[in-house]
Amino acid sequence: MTKEDWKKYSDVDGECAVRNVLDRLGDKWSMLVIIVLGVEGTLRFNKLHQVIGDISQKMLTVTLKSLEADGLVSRTVYPEIPPRVEYALTERGASLLPHMEGLAEWAATHMEGIYASREKYIGS
Amino acid sequence: MTKEDWKKYSDVDGECAVRNVLDRLGDKWSMLVIIVLGVEGTLRFNKLHQVIGDISQKMLTVTLKSLEADGLVSRTVYPEIPPRVEYALTERGASLLPHMEGLAEWAATHMEGIYASREKYIGS
DNA sequence: AAAATTACTTACTTCTACGTAACAAGCTGA
DNA sequence: TCAGCTTGTTACGTAGAAGTAAGTAATTTT
């Protein structure tokens, strides 16, 4: 990726597609949902809720909707009573997994040093 | 990365180091600042401000401080008048660059399909 | 007839990230 | 003497992100 390629990521005109796409993944839960679906495979709503643990029901639905809108997660409804809805990564969502794994591995590798830095740092 | 490895990323007890580290990078400006410093090399405050274009002065200082606290960016003050302060990536910050490039390339590749998905999607 | 199940929705409140604009320090050149 | 340069800080306000808790629908179980 060259210097020229990167120029376009600072959107002076407010129209940077890359930033627009990544902003959605930068919220509190999207990455985690993708990772969990990637690791566990297809999951129902309540199971997802239980695996993540500390997400509220509302934020789980909101996050899933946004991921579904972007075509990263598929939603399959089985018209039974009580209802059954299964969530899974789409191909596009799965293609994102390696990058998230890369980031997470980086974080796991460096977190000790980062914590040490934070403690030493005296903000003005 | 195995299933067991990922288990720890859902922090039921509120203590997930990976999430703690990545949360700082998920804000509006951190990734962009790292990318710009990675591409352009060492930069002074005002130059950084000008290259990014649409960041406020306050958010640039806040973002830089947080990156400095985490040891991702170095800050060098030259005691001159008017002052000169240079920012650059540390080794740790530079080690993050490939992952960001990976993400950005993924976004550039998929943004067209994602935009199409968003338009087709009818949220309830 | 009451309670449980599943997958949500809605209303309300709280929190925090971010933006704007003014001010500050300390020397320099007009 | 006074505006101007660079790198910030401070006070203040707001929009949107996120949390809480209750409600809903349709059916089976007790």
Side-chain angles (χ1 to χ4, degrees):
Chain A
M1 193 158 288
T2 74
K3 191 161 171 171
E4 284 313 308
D5 286 333
W6 279 116
K7 292 286 190 187
K8 59 175 176 287
Y9 297 133
S10 52
D11 60 338
V12 183
D13 53 352
E15 286 282 353
C16 174
V18 172
R19 276 168 72 178
N20 193 309
V21 167
L22 291 184
D23 277 354
R24 301 272 278 244
L25 300 175
D27 66 6
K28 194 170 177 182
W29 299 110
S30 291
M31 262 191 69
L32 189 55
V33 167
I34 288 172
I35 285 172
V36 168
L37 285 179
V39 171
E40 307 271 339
T42 301
L43 284 182
R44 301 178 60 178
F45 184 88
N46 274 358
K47 181 66 177 172
L48 204 42
H49 192 192
Q50 167 204 324
V51 169
I52 295 182
D54 58 345
I55 191 175
S56 73
Q57 221 173 24
K58 176 193 158 189
M59 287 315 297
L60 183 53
T61 56
V62 167
T63 303
L64 285 169
K65 253 185 204 168
S66 135
L67 293 175
E68 194 200 350
D70 281 8
L72 301 175
V73 160
S74 67
R75 180 175 182 273
T76 313
V77 183
Y78 297 88
E80 312 167 353
I81 300 290
R84 180 158 62 101
V85 181
E86 291 188 344
Y87 293 92
L89 288 186
T90 62
E91 208 170 313
R92 189 185 294 156
S95 74
L96 188 49
L97 262 186
H99 301 292
M100 308 230 146
E101 288 190 2
L103 261 193
E105 269 167 13
W106 179 90
T109 303
H110 292 86
M111 60 187 181
E112 220 172 308
I114 289 175
Y115 279 152
S117 277
R118 282 183 196 172
E119 275 174 31
K120 270 194 298 183
Y121 184 81
I122 317 286
S124 68
Chain B
M1 194 158 288
T2 74
K3 190 162 171 171
E4 284 314 309
D5 285 333
W6 280 114
K7 293 286 190 187
K8 58 175 175 288
Y9 296 131
S10 52
D11 59 338
V12 184
D13 54 349
E15 285 282 355
C16 174
V18 172
R19 277 169 71 180
N20 194 309
V21 167
L22 291 185
D23 276 355
R24 301 274 278 243
L25 300 175
D27 66 6
K28 194 169 176 185
W29 300 111
S30 291
M31 263 191 66
L32 190 55
V33 167
I34 289 172
I35 285 171
V36 168
L37 285 179
V39 172
E40 307 274 338
T42 301
L43 286 181
R44 299 178 62 177
F45 183 88
N46 274 358
K47 180 68 178 170
L48 203 43
H49 193 191
Q50 168 204 323
V51 170
I52 295 182
D54 58 345
I55 192 174
S56 72
Q57 210 173 35
K58 174 192 160 189
M59 287 314 298
L60 183 53
T61 56
V62 167
T63 303
L64 285 170
K65 253 185 204 169
S66 135
L67 292 176
E68 193 199 352
D70 282 6
L72 301 175
V73 160
S74 67
R75 179 174 183 275
T76 312
V77 183
Y78 297 88
E80 313 167 351
I81 299 289
R84 181 160 58 105
V85 182
E86 291 188 342
Y87 294 93
L89 288 185
T90 62
E91 207 170 315
R92 188 185 294 157
S95 74
L96 188 49
L97 263 186
H99 301 292
M100 308 227 147
E101 288 189 3
L103 261 193
E105 269 166 12
W106 178 92
T109 304
H110 291 86
M111 62 185 180
E112 221 173 307
I114 288 176
Y115 280 152
S117 278
R118 281 183 195 173
E119 275 175 30
K120 271 195 299 184
Y121 183 80
I122 317 287
S124 66

